[in-house]
Amino acid sequence: AGMEGSGDASRAVADWRLAVWTLCSVLLPVLITAWCSFQRSRRQLLIRDIFRKSKHDWHYTDLFGQPSYCCVCAQHILRGAFCGCCGLRVSERCLKKADQRFLCKEIMMRGTAGAPSSMPHHWIRGNVPLCSCCMVCKQQCGTQPKLCDYRCVWCQYTVHDECMVDSLRTEDCTFGEFKDLIIPPYYLSAINQMRKEKRTNFEKVVPYCRKHWMPVMVLANTRSGNNMGEILLGEFKMLLNPVQVFDLSKIAPAKALQLCTWLPCNAVRVLVCGGDGTVGWVLDAIDEMKIKGQERYIPQVAVLPLGTGNDLSNTLGWGAGYAGEVPVEQILRNVMEADGIKLDRWKVQVTNKGYYNLRKPKVFTMNNYFSIGPDALMALNFHAHREKTPSLFSSRIINKAVYFFYGTKDCLVQECKDLNKKVELELDGERIELPNLEGIIVLNIGYWGGGCRLWEGMGDEPYPLARHDDGLLEVVGVHGSFHCAQIQVKLANPVRLGQAHTVRLILKSSKMPMQVDGEPWAQGPCTVTITHKTHALMLYHSGEQTDDDDASSLSE
């Protein structure tokens, strides 16, 4: 009996040991995971706090796209942070030290006596571009697998470690290739001081007095394109003064453009990174400057197309879409070399039938085109779909595929048929007899529908050339979605209804889809009047051609 009792006790002890070890084997991984998660969350909070308080434009990354070395410990890093303005790269554990030790680009010089007209280089060690050459010996920099060589964050010049001498550390920075586009920090300091003293003789400040200075402002819409706006913001901040680069998701164009009042009259160039809607938003803000009496500060506008249609940028020679294929440096060169032209802007007034004295008419500003019919219906369906599931519409290819789907659907359903029986059209006060149509399009620019030259059609008939600066609108009709598709591949001509300074369209009955510059809505009986509003100062890039030959480009 005693042996049985001791056997039961030993079995009980063994069972307890098994239970304890089982519990430990279950709890230990859970505790380790919880501890690691707590430490990671704590680390992320600390990093976020450093980012919030820092003067650097830090961005965290789990994996650097090229071999990178920490500017503090000089060790190779995979995970860490980089500054979007000065290009510093640092490992996660050295982030706090780097933030305290290294200065970022100063957008404005502080604490300087008098009005300086120069500033020294701002050298950053390591991680220089692989294609760069030393400004002293002209040999390639950044070839060794370690933290080596220097780069100036302003002029982008690079120097080998062994070529760096004390004279280079104190030498005045020339701002490099883009000196005519960069707003120097010492200039902003001087202008700020003069404004405080209520002095306006800015022309005495360098480089205000320099003949070829044409400071550029970059206004990027980070919601246009597939995250391309975010990438461009960082790249432009690296090359320019960060004060010149604006994110339109955080600051309105009207506020950003007030920087023009600190700069020489009629010299500023604005690069808008976004779709045609973003360009229209910026041009509206420029019109507000005219109303405020700031007409002498009006900038010229260039376009970097990030949207889906981009017909305005195509018309101005900037291409149908940007996906990173052209280096940012070349884009800035194109802005410097671009020619100034004018763009007509039009007032579109929509007055609902029966409410002439009770309801205010809707007023739009048109840069590209107005339409009623199948293409407006496609835009309306597209926008309704995008409102429901915006995450699906991050790619230009997907957007065009959805447009194709709705165009194919309309070919079968023909929701806009017999339009000629529902509307009346007047060009410069003269009534136009309409043939059997499904749609009417009023054009200000040469391109329509994502790259089609609608007015020219197949180019086999002699018609007056379409221009965007002659105060004339081109009015065409289409027989349906299938006819639109034929025109886009140059298998058919549009129904040319005429050119006019003023267009009046009366929708007599039923509800029809309409659009102005890609913004669609469903409209009941009304009168639409289109009249000239103003001119916009744009920049034309002659080096970019699409699918048309040189002869057709001359029509612009």
Side-chain angles (χ1 to χ4, degrees), residues 65-350:
Q66 65 185 64
S68 300
Y69 301 89
C70 177
C71 62
V72 177
C73 64
Q75 297 299 308
H76 184 266
I77 52 174
L78 291 175
R79 185 172 62 184
F82 65 93
C83 177
C85 292
C86 66
L88 263 182
R89 299 188 182 193
V90 60
S91 61
E92 190 178 287
R93 64 179 178 274
C94 298
L95 178 60
K96 190 172 183 179
K97 289 182 183 177
D99 192 63
Q100 294 171 348
R101 186 182 301 179
F102 299 104
L103 293 174
C104 192
K105 274 185 171 180
E106 285 188 302
I107 63 173
M108 185 184 295
M109 291 179 71
R110 301 183 186 279
T112 55
S117 58
S118 63
M119 58 184 282
H121 289 288
H122 181 165
W123 297 108
I124 294 289
R125 187 158 185 253
N127 304 305
V128 302
L130 295 176
C131 58
S132 59
C133 292
C134 176
M135 66 181 291
V136 177
C137 68
K138 310 303 179 187
Q139 298 299 312
Q140 189 172 357
C141 287
T143 54
Q144 301 180 58
K146 63 178 183 179
L147 189 77
C148 62
D149 305 337
Y150 291 85
R151 175 182 62 87
C152 175
V153 300
W154 288 106
C155 63
Q156 309 305 322
Y157 289 160
T158 54
V159 181
H160 289 124
D161 286 332
E162 55 271 20
C163 296
M164 176 60 77
V165 292
D166 290 340
S167 59
L168 279 177
R169 295 183 186 277
T170 56
E171 180 182 83
D172 287 343
C173 181
T174 63
F175 293 95
E177 180 184 0
F178 302 114
K179 63 183 178 183
D180 288 332
L181 300 181
I182 294 173
I183 303 175
Y186 57 77
Y187 172 82
L188 292 174
S189 302
I191 298 297
N192 187 45
Q193 185 61 36
M194 292 175 74
R195 286 169 69 100
K196 286 179 181 178
E197 297 169 2
K198 296 184 178 180
R199 291 188 289 146
T200 58
N201 53 335
F202 298 163
E203 61 276 0
K204 295 181 180 179
V205 182
V206 178
Y208 193 107
C209 53
R210 200 166 66 221
K211 184 178 180 182
H212 300 292
W213 191 43
M214 52 174 80
V216 68
M217 294 170 57
V218 179
L219 277 58
N221 187 352
T222 53
R223 293 170 185 163
S224 296
N226 189 14
N227 199 38
M228 188 54 66
E230 287 279 2
I231 297 168
L232 287 168
L233 277 175
E235 293 186 354
F236 281 120
K237 283 180 180 178
M238 289 278 285
L239 294 173
L240 305 170
N241 189 330
V243 80
Q244 299 172 243
V245 185
F246 298 90
D247 182 353
L248 293 182
S249 66
K250 297 178 181 177
I251 184 170
K255 192 171 182 180
L257 288 168
Q258 287 307 300
L259 180 60
C260 294
T261 61
W262 288 45
L263 300 167
C265 303
N266 306 315
V268 181
R269 298 191 166 200
V270 169
L271 176 62
V272 180
C273 306
D276 287 349
T278 306
V279 178
W281 188 19
V282 173
L283 294 181
D284 288 342
I286 291 174
D287 285 345
E288 290 178 23
M289 291 178 68
K290 296 177 184 177
I291 295 170
K292 292 177 182 176
Q294 299 174 340
E295 193 152 2
R296 60 188 178 136
Y297 299 112
I298 296 298
Q300 294 176 302
V301 180
V303 185
L304 186 61
L306 301 182
T308 301
N310 302 318
D311 290 306
L312 179 57
S313 68
N314 220 348
T315 298
L316 299 174
W318 297 99
Y322 178 77
E325 65 278 3
V326 180
V328 172
E329 292 85 352
Q330 186 57 47
I331 294 168
L332 290 177
R333 293 183 198 111
N334 293 342
V335 172
M336 279 197 291
E337 296 165 2
D339 301 315
I341 60 167
K342 288 185 178 181
L343 172 73
D344 290 322
R345 303 193 77 211
W346 301 82
K347 175 184 174 184
V348 180
Q349 182 171 299
V350 182

Side-chain angles (χ1 to χ4, degrees), residues 425-442:
L425 178 66
E426 294 179 8
L427 302 183
D428 289 337
E430 183 180 340
R431 174 85 177 272
I432 303 297
E433 289 297 324
L434 296 175
N436 185 23
L437 297 173
E438 284 192 29
I440 294 173
I441 303 164
V442 182

Side-chain angles (χ1 to χ4, degrees), residues 465-482:
L465 296 176
R467 295 181 61 89
H468 48 257
D469 59 355
D470 58 356
L472 281 173
L473 294 165
E474 287 71 44
V475 186
V476 302
V478 292
H479 297 301
S481 295
F482 186 67

Side-chain angles (χ1 to χ4, degrees), residues 377-393 398-399 401-403 405-406 409 520:
L377 179 62
M378 283 187 277
L380 186 62
N381 288 330
F382 173 84
H383 278 256
H385 202 155
R386 187 165 64 176
E387 288 288 323
K388 292 179 184 176
T389 52
S391 59
L392 293 176
F393 296 84
I398 292 175
N399 293 351
V402 173
Y403 265 107
F405 167 76
Y406 283 120
K409 177 186 172 185

